[in-house]
Every structure is written in structure tokens, then in C-alpha cells.
Amino acid sequence: MASLFTHMSKSLPHKHSSAKLSRSIQHLVSAYINSNPLTPSFQVAGFDEMVSSNQRKFYLLGGKGGVGKTSCAASLAVKLANQGHPTIVVSTDPAHSLSDSFDQNLTGGMLVPVQGVDSPLYALELNPEKAREELSSKGQHDEGAVRNVMDSMGLGGFAGMMGDLKLDELLETSPPGLDEIVAISKVMKFLDSPEYSEFRRIVFDTAPTGHTLRLLSLPDFLDASIGKMMKIKKKIASATAALKSAFGKGEPQQDDNDKLEQLRLSMGRVRDLFRDPETTEFVIVTIPTVMAVNESSRLCASLRKEMVPVNRLVVNQLLPPSASDCKFCSMRKTDQRRALDKIKKDPELAKLKLIESPLVDVEIRGVPALKFMGDMVWR
């Protein structure tokens, strides 16, 4: 791999446009791969299968922190767009690095067009905390409305007794994982809009393993929890209506756009999306260390328990055969071979299509570099 970058540094022009640089890198990468084929251990990712349908498909990339999930997600998005599939790539990781990967500001909560690809590609770093705050503020408004109604009837004391139920805190305090799932629900609203209905591939760069597992199990938990919250609210609304009627105040108006019901429906939709093998695939990204492989095995088992389709495992940052034979490199290669052997024997991971991604000696940053990585990994 080092020889490739040496060849590129000598061959690329010093003055060039980004488009010309992109074409030059693509040409050099193709020429290098043709003349220096990867060893047989580098398996094909089955990319033809990933682009064979025009049906909308979702790819969630996740794994241990620091294994290169963002680079893998961004390179997949670029590759899909260059194959003629309008694509959206979204980061739900609170510690965003998608902007760094594309070398472009993707903050602000809106989809941003990425330049230098053959089909439309939009990227977004979601702010899950902001989305949760919007939900919490709505919950506070709903609870405050109930109190105001009762105050207007001279029943402020009873309203104070209801405060012991801590309903506003219940709406404010979100369980771990709610940030990400609210963010994904927001993306799905984008996709429902006419402006983005044409997009056929959606790639999610998810948070590290622990967050992801909570995210996947959260829809079932919230379905039950929100149902209980709604029952409490209905009982309060019924009691309030009876009191208003008794005091001749008329019937309180009902909120026809109940945010809790909308959230519950959104959670159900996200849950169904996660579990649909026709539209969704979770791709595990790991590195060749025994610790990372163990965590990936647990993640794979949890994904299957949650009935989330998972077919591929990317092993990132593998030392290429041309690496130096120094003592450090030799020890790293031994450790990596041990990790690969463990994958092949692991009852969970051995069932997955193994994609081996080599370690490169430059930073993968910007669309040209992501194209280069995509051509190596997604084949």
C-alpha cells in the first residue's frame, strides 16, 4: 500500500482542480489494483448485490469506538452515489466526525449536498440532544396546559398534588438511546418529503456499540413506556373534563396532534425498519484485535436477538502484505492473524461475509480519498 501512495505522489499533478484530482486518483487506483491485485484473503464485499435493486435500502454501520466506522460509512455513501444511486449519509454519533471525513461542514441539522460525486449525495450530522430537547419542551407544554386549566377553575391545590406524579420530569428524562432514535425518526421525515423521495440508499454512521445496542432495543421499551404515559395523560384529561363540566366551564379542547402518539408510531416504524431484511442491513465494523473481535461477536449476537439483519463484517486497518518486516510490524501481523482466526471460528461472526480493509499510510479525508477507500473496500 505504501508503494501505491509513493506512485500517486509522483504521478499526480501539483496544480489541479478537485474534479481533476478525483479522476486522477481513480485512474491511479484502478491501475494499481489491476497491476497489484489484493491477496486472495481480501474478500469481495458483494457490492453488486448492494446496488442491484432500485428499492430504497438502509445501511447502518456500527461497532466499537475508533475502528473507522465513519470512514467506512462515508466511503460506502460515495461509492453508492457513484454507482448511480442518490444517497444520504447521516451521523447519529454524538462525537461527530462525518464533517471531518468529507472535509465539509455538515452541522446545522439540515442535509448538505456533497460535491464531486456522480449522483446526488447529501450528508448530515444530526444533533440528537437538540431533537430530544424539542420533545421535552413539548412535554412540558402539555403538562403545563393541564395545570393552567385547573388553576383557572380554582383547583391549583389539586394541580399541585398532581405534580407529585412528576409527569413533566417523566417527559423530560429520556432513557439512553432515545437521542439517536429521535434523530433517525427525523431523518425518516426528511425521506418522506417530496424533495428527498428520489434517494434510494441511506447510510447511517452510528454511535459506538453500547449506544447502538440501546438504540436497537429502545423501540420496544418506548412502545410500552409511552403507552403508560398516554394512559396517565388520558386519565388526567378525563378528570379535568369532569371537573370543568361540574363547574360549568365547558369541555377542554383535545390536542389532535398528540406528540406522544406520533412518537410511539415513529418508534414502531423505526423498529419495523430495523428488522426488515428486504430494506435494512447492519454492517459491523471492527479491527483485527482479539478485544475488538470479542465485542463484535457480542454485537452480532445482540443484533440477531433483536432480529436485525446483519450479513457483513468489515475488518479494518489490516497491515498489507508489503508492510515492513520490523519487529513491531511482525508482532502486529501475528496479533492480526490471531484475530482473523478467531473470527473464522466464532459462532456468530463466522456466518458473516468477511471484508478485509487494509491500513493505509495517509488520512482518508475528502471525497477523492473516500473514493479511493471505497474502491478498495466495497468491491
Side-chain angles (χ1 to χ4, degrees):
M1 193 55 59
S3 61
L4 168 58
F5 283 99
T6 301
H7 177 62
M8 288 172 63
S9 64
K10 293 179 179 178
S11 304
L12 288 174
H14 294 288
K15 295 182 179 180
H16 47 71
S17 65
S18 59
K20 185 175 181 180
L21 173 62
S22 175
R23 290 193 296 271
S24 298
I25 288 180
Q26 282 184 302
H27 173 74
L28 289 170
V29 169
S30 298
Y32 180 86
I33 290 176
N34 290 335
S35 60
N36 300 274
L38 295 173
T39 61
S41 63
F42 285 76
Q43 298 184 32
V44 175
F47 185 76
D48 290 343
E49 174 194 344
M50 299 172 79
V51 295
S52 62
S53 170
N54 286 324
Q55 181 182 14
R56 176 176 284 175
K57 292 194 175 182
F58 297 80
Y59 292 97
L60 292 85
L61 279 76
K64 182 180 172 67
V67 298
K69 296 187 301 294
T70 299
S71 295
C72 288
S75 66
L76 174 59
V78 169
K79 181 87 171 183
L80 290 168
N82 282 333
Q83 292 294 316
H85 290 272
T87 301
I88 293 174
V89 56
V90 181
S91 171
T92 61
D93 188 343
H96 294 299
S97 57
L98 200 61
S99 288
D100 295 327
S101 197
F102 279 102
D103 197 17
Q104 186 174 343
N105 184 7
L106 305 174
T107 60
M110 298 299 293
L111 292 169
V112 178
V114 175
Q115 305 301 322
V117 291
D118 297 336
S119 290
L121 172 60
Y122 280 70
L124 167 67
E125 287 183 343
L126 279 170
N127 187 337
E129 183 177 350
K130 183 177 179 181
R132 181 187 58 79
E133 287 174 356
E134 292 174 359
L135 176 65
S136 296
S137 65
K138 176 60 181 175
Q140 288 178 332
H141 172 75
D142 287 347
E143 177 65 14
V146 174
R147 293 173 183 268
N148 290 338
V149 168
M150 303 196 73
D151 283 337
S152 69
M153 298 185 296
L155 298 173
F158 183 59
M161 293 171 60
M162 287 200 318
D164 293 338
L165 291 174
K166 304 293 183 182
L167 294 182
D168 53 347
E169 293 183 12
L170 183 61
L171 290 168
E172 276 189 59
T173 306
S174 58
L178 180 61
D179 290 349
E180 290 84 357
I181 209 158
V182 170
I184 288 179
S185 297
K186 185 174 181 180
V187 172
M188 294 173 73
K189 288 184 179 179
F190 274 127
L191 299 176
D192 287 338
S193 65
E195 183 179 1
Y196 299 109
S197 60
E198 66 182 271
F199 287 85
R200 288 288 165 264
R201 296 294 181 272
I202 297 87
V203 180
F204 286 101
D205 171 29
T206 69
T209 303
H211 290 268
T212 301
L213 292 177
R214 288 193 293 266
L215 166 66
L216 296 173
S217 61
L218 191 60
D220 288 325
F221 169 77
L222 280 181
D223 187 50
S225 298
I226 293 175
K228 292 178 182 177
M229 292 165 66
M230 290 178 65
K231 287 181 180 178
I232 294 173
K233 287 188 66 180
K234 287 179 180 178
K235 288 181 179 179
I236 293 173
S238 178
T240 303
L243 288 168
K244 284 197 73 174
S245 178
F247 282 83
K249 297 291 185 178
E251 290 293 330
Q253 292 185 348
Q254 297 295 319
D255 182 5
D256 293 330
N257 191 28
D258 194 301
K259 292 296 182 180
L260 285 176
E261 175 63 16
Q262 288 185 10
L263 178 61
R264 191 164 74 102
L265 293 174
S266 295
M267 297 308 100
R269 187 180 174 199
V270 170
R271 176 186 57 210
D272 294 342
L273 171 69
F274 284 161
R275 295 173 177 174
D276 187 352
E278 296 298 321
T279 60
T280 301
E281 180 183 341
F282 196 104
V283 180
I284 299 175
V285 182
T286 190
I287 54 175
T289 68
V290 171
M291 289 179 62
V293 169
N294 287 338
E295 182 168 322
S296 298
S297 178
R298 292 192 293 270
L299 172 58
C300 187
S302 297
L303 290 170
R304 290 201 168 102
K305 181 180 179 180
E306 296 294 336
M307 296 180 287
V308 177
V310 52
N311 302 316
R312 292 171 175 83
L313 171 69
V314 177
V315 183
N316 199 19
Q317 302 176 15
L318 279 164
L319 287 173
S322 59
S324 169
D325 289 329
C326 68
K327 184 177 181 181
F328 173 79
C329 293
S330 178
M331 293 179 66
R332 285 292 301 274
K333 286 181 180 178
T334 299
D335 288 342
Q336 291 188 357
R337 282 194 296 269
R338 186 180 298 115
L340 289 173
D341 288 340
K342 186 173 182 61
I343 289 173
K344 294 172 183 177
K345 297 175 182 177
D346 187 270
E348 298 292 340
L349 301 180
K351 304 171 186 176
L352 305 180
K353 183 184 291 292
L354 182 64
I355 306 164
E356 300 180 3
S357 175
L359 177 69
V360 296
D361 53 4
V362 295
E363 187 178 38
I364 300 298
R365 182 179 176 88
V367 171
L370 290 168
K371 287 181 178 179
F372 161 65
M373 180 176 182
D375 285 339
M376 286 194 302
V377 178
W378 308 106
R379 308 179 65 198

